[in-house]
């Protein structure tokens, strides 16, 4: 794809509707024809066309025109597959209703969108030509949603529709995520446990550690840095218990033993699982480890293929720990890159890397796709805590 | 200059001797002809030719062939100037004595080298052809040094000479400098005061802060990070006094008031003045502020011309503070780039930037050149502490 913004940070809008429903003019009316960056590529029935626009104040958006779910024949089946693919990744679904009103076509896609918990907007376009039928409005009310009634041609209600689109965008498109400012109050001490081993880059700290220290300062809190073996002495240097101890996952086992139960404890990975993703979803996913069966296949997901250290964790350490923890014979498969495997549903669990190379929106999208397709998903950090028996403790500070 | 290693980190050896003293074969004998990277450029009488070699284990070295100090006529004067220029920057001076023995030529340059406190090696080459004269050996003994007697041709004593060259190299070419591992003992707490203002880059800490925290961990000490206004509360969170408080220079005034006199206090700038330079020399230079007179000219030295913030400190803040501190009418001139002005001697003081863009060897070379030319030199951080009346306190932890 020729894409100005990285693919992951664009708001993905699945747009569906009959050929004559006025989808293109609706997009132009919403985004402003003059600023629209229309980069249309040759799409296939299985790889739908994305059209890129600017939707201020949200920024870049991609509209995918989907075929719907009631197509017949072999080609129709491919189109249905393509529609599913778009819906798995969609942030918002917009169903554009034209002069034919709501038919079986619209109903089936609305049902699927609701099943996948995708924010839905139903738009009656062409109000300048014909008002929506009373029966259709009644059906919408029955279904529990209020459709928009607009005219791309005259601009009627377009501003309202734009505001609804922005309101429907996932929260992560609208606000800064929390790192740990809510866990440590102004003036409180947070102890950061930083092991210095051979993999630590010489003369500096790694970025997540620096980000945590900076976030503490930004919240008027006090950050304290200690090696794992010095932790008992470090705690002794404080007049009272710290508000929180954050440790590298590598040392969580040792640190958990040395931090009194009354002191809140978590890991850098867990902070970033929340900052970069959906912590409750990843914790929920980790619980799937307890119900794995012999022969189950686990998907190890990597955001990039460049780091041998993470390879080691995903390809060697986690499989070994899981074998020990579950006592089952499990298969592990690794994927890296952008799209999940087509047959994602055959995996019993997806364990994703810490996604240091992904932004929050992209990671949330991956989590969401797994959940929409019924596959539990967790990440390396949360998985390791689960396997080491400290998960409950390290998620307690988040009220989970 | 076409240079493989950055110019600043090469060991600079000023080589002098008659045309027939065998200098080139001596260099080849020392460095190993087969590995010698000889990049000889067209030099002029005022810009001497540097020849680059590898001298293991020290790494890259540059030999400058200097003309000596007793040249006659106009061209001779330029040659003498060129020799001075090389000597100001030389790490080591090697005087190669050939078959003519020690003459007025060798004596004048030896005297100048000693005057500038440059480590000196006197080498009698061509021992295979003729042994040094007794009178010359006696003169050397009188002067208090032991010459090397070698033969580049036969290799006699060349290994010994190489060992002497390595021994004569400044300490900074042979060892890692200290950041603060000697100021904080294992298990002790160091409080780092990090103001978060508009100039602080979002979401991270600046490199010197990260380096200090990492150095503490490397020495099994405990780093604590606090904003300047939270410092009293932070100190209250500790069971006992910290071993050291390190603050950003910007906040040193406020921090000095809030840190009890019994607690050691310094600044990041002071730590890096030592790490990247010669702290006693810079402190000595700062004292020159007390004897400035009306009409004196101050040189503001910048390692690079890219940062507007440092411009602000060097071009606006420091001149304003100095005017207030000294009560004198002073002139300020700014230079950036590699070489000091030819007429360095006319400045009453050089105030150099923190040299974040220079390595330690280059900064030491600049300090040394100023001292050799009789110009006091200090840096921004040390100067600011002096001007704010806290210099004595912030250098106390270093035993100064």
């Amino acid at each position: 794809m020729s894409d100005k913004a990285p693919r992951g940070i664009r708001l993905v809008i699945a747009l569906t509707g009959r050929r004559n429903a006025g989808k293109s003019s609706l997009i132009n009316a919403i985004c402003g024809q003059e600023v629209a960056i229309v980069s249309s590529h040759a799409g296939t029935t299985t790889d739908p066309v994305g059209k890129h626009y600017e939707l201020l104040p949200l920024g870049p958006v991609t509209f995918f025109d989907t075929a719907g779910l009631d197509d017949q024949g072999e080609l129709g089946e491919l189109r249905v597959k393509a529609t599913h693919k778009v819906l798995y990744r969609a942030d918002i679904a917009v169903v554009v209703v034209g002069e034919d009103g709501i038919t079986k076509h619209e109903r089936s896609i609305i049902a699927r969108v609701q099943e996948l918990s995708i924010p839905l907007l139903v738009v009656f376009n062409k109000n300048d030509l014909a008002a929506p039928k009373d029966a259709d409005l009644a059906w919408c009310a029955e279904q529990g949603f209020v459709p928009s009634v607009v005219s791309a041609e005259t601009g009627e209600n377009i501003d309202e529709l734009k505001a609804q689109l922005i309101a429907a965008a996932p929260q992560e498109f609208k606000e800064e995520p929390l790192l740990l400012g809510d866990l440590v109050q102004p003036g409180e001490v947070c102890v950061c446990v930083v092991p210095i081993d051979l993999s630590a880059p010489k003369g500096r700290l790694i970025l997540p550690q620096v980000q945590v220290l900076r976030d503490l300062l930004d919240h008027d809190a006090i950050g304290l840095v200690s090696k794992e073996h010095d932790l008992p002495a470090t705690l002794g240097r404080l007049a009272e218990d710290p508000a929180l101890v954050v440790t590298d996952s590598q040392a969580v086992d040792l640190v958990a033993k040395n931090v009194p139960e009354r002191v809140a404890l978590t890991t850098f990975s867990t902070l970033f699982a929340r900052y970069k993703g959906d912590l409750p979803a990843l914790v929920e996913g980790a619980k799937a480890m307890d119900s794995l069966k012999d022969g189950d296949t686990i998907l190890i997901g990597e955001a990039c293929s460049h780091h041998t250290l993470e390879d080691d964790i995903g390809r060697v350490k986690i499989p070994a720990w899981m074998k020990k923890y579950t006592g089952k014979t499990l298969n592990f498969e690794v994927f890296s890159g952008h799209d999940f495997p087509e047959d994602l549903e055959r995996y019993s669990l997806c364990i994703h890397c810490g996604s240091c190379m992904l932004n929050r929106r992209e990671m949330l999208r991956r989590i969401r796709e797994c959940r929409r397709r019924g596959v539990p998903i967790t990440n390396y950090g949360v998985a390791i805590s689960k396997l080491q028996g400290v998960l409950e403790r390290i998620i307690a500070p988040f009220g989970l």
Side-chain angles (χ1 to χ4, degrees), chain A:
Chain A
M1 287 178 94
S2 77
D3 213 332
K4 301 270 172 174
R7 191 167 169 180
I9 64 165
R10 293 184 156 269
L11 186 75
V12 173
I13 304 175
L15 192 79
T16 190
R18 302 290 171 111
R19 211 173 293 268
N20 62 353
K23 285 173 289 178
S24 294
S25 37
L26 187 64
I27 293 174
N28 289 338
I30 293 168
C31 297
Q33 192 136 21
E34 64 287 353
V35 298
I37 310 153
V38 184
S39 62
S40 174
H41 343 266
T44 66
T45 44
T46 50
D47 187 13
V49 180
K51 290 186 182 180
H52 307 319
Y53 294 84
E54 279 292 315
L55 178 62
L56 295 176
L58 283 181
V61 301
T62 302
F63 284 94
F64 280 96
D65 194 345
T66 63
L69 297 168
D70 57 354
D71 257 0
Q72 303 293 320
E74 206 184 319
L75 197 66
E77 227 172 86
L78 288 175
R79 285 211 194 94
V80 169
K81 245 189 172 168
T83 298
H84 279 301
K85 199 171 164 182
V86 168
L87 289 181
Y88 289 142
R89 298 178 57 75
D91 297 305
I92 302 173
V94 178
V95 178
V96 186
V97 185
E99 290 151 298
D100 296 335
I102 289 178
T103 67
K104 182 182 145 213
H105 173 94
E106 283 78 15
R107 280 184 199 163
S108 72
I109 197 137
I110 287 170
R112 182 64 181 152
V113 165
Q114 292 183 316
E115 194 179 301
L116 293 174
S117 307
I118 304 171
L120 167 70
L121 297 182
V122 175
V123 182
F124 288 89
N125 192 12
K126 305 199 179 179
N127 196 40
D128 55 313
L129 299 182
K133 297 173 193 161
D134 287 345
D136 286 347
L137 291 175
W139 182 82
C140 287
E142 243 171 64
Q143 298 296 309
F145 57 78
V146 181
S148 303
V149 181
V150 310
S151 166
E153 187 63 28
T154 66
E156 180 192 354
N157 276 337
I158 291 296
D159 284 346
E160 289 75 3
L161 176 58
K162 191 179 160 184
Q164 279 179 299
L165 263 178
I166 291 165
Q171 208 49 29
E172 68 269 20
F173 279 81
K174 290 179 279 186
E175 64 177 23
E176 280 290 302
L178 275 169
L179 192 48
L180 77 167
D182 57 330
L183 305 179
V184 183
Q185 298 309 305
E188 287 185 343
V189 175
C190 171
V191 174
C192 300
V193 184
V194 174
I196 301 295
D197 60 14
L198 290 175
S199 72
K202 196 175 169 240
R204 57 185 188 90
L205 303 175
I206 59 173
L207 187 59
Q209 294 157 357
V210 173
Q211 285 179 284
V212 162
L213 290 171
R214 173 56 188 268
D215 201 53
L216 289 167
L217 289 175
D218 285 338
H219 290 90
D220 298 312
I222 301 158
L224 195 151
V225 185
S226 167
K227 281 203 283 204
E228 74 277 35
H229 295 291
D230 301 331
L231 184 60
T234 297
L235 294 175
R237 294 280 176 183
L238 293 172
E240 47 188 280
D241 286 341
L244 180 67
V245 174
V246 181
T247 180
D248 189 286
S249 294
Q250 286 178 64
V252 66
D253 206 21
L254 175 68
V255 169
K257 286 184 191 111
N258 285 322
V259 174
E261 285 289 340
R262 65 179 181 274
V263 176
L265 170 68
T266 193
T267 67
F268 287 100
S269 304
T270 311
L271 290 176
F272 280 88
R274 181 175 70 150
Y275 186 72
K276 283 231 167 179
D278 178 343
L279 184 60
L282 296 170
V283 167
E284 189 60 35
K287 291 187 184 153
M289 288 187 188
D290 293 326
S291 49
L292 290 172
K293 298 180 297 295
D294 279 324
D296 277 352
T297 302
I298 316 295
L299 188 64
I300 300 292
E302 287 177 352
C304 65
S305 46
H306 298 102
H307 34 68
T308 54
L309 200 70
E310 289 256 281
D311 279 0
D312 185 35
I313 295 177
R315 286 161 210 246
V316 182
K317 285 189 187 171
I318 288 180
W321 289 332
M322 282 192 69
K323 195 179 164 177
K324 198 177 157 196
Y325 179 90
T326 64
K328 308 289 180 192
T329 307
L330 303 168
N331 307 311
F332 290 86
E333 293 181 14
V334 177
F335 91 98
S336 14
H338 181 257
D339 287 316
F340 278 122
E342 291 282 341
D343 54 354
L344 185 67
E345 289 79 0
R346 75 180 174 84
Y347 298 96
S348 304
L349 174 65
C350 172
I351 307 180
H352 203 282
C353 72
S355 69
C356 61
M357 299 302 288
L358 292 183
N359 63 56
R360 173 172 168 80
R361 294 175 185 184
E362 179 59 21
M363 188 58 204
L364 286 170
R365 202 166 275 159
R366 288 184 173 205
I367 292 169
R368 208 174 51 192
E369 175 166 354
C370 279
R371 289 163 69 90
R372 284 177 182 169
R373 297 175 75 172
V375 179
I377 178 170
T378 187
N379 76 359
Y380 286 4
V382 174
I384 292 170
S385 297
K386 170 78 177 167
L387 294 168
Q388 297 193 333
V390 295
L391 182 60
E392 281 189 25
R393 183 160 184 203
I394 62 141
I395 60 173
F398 304 90
L400 295 175

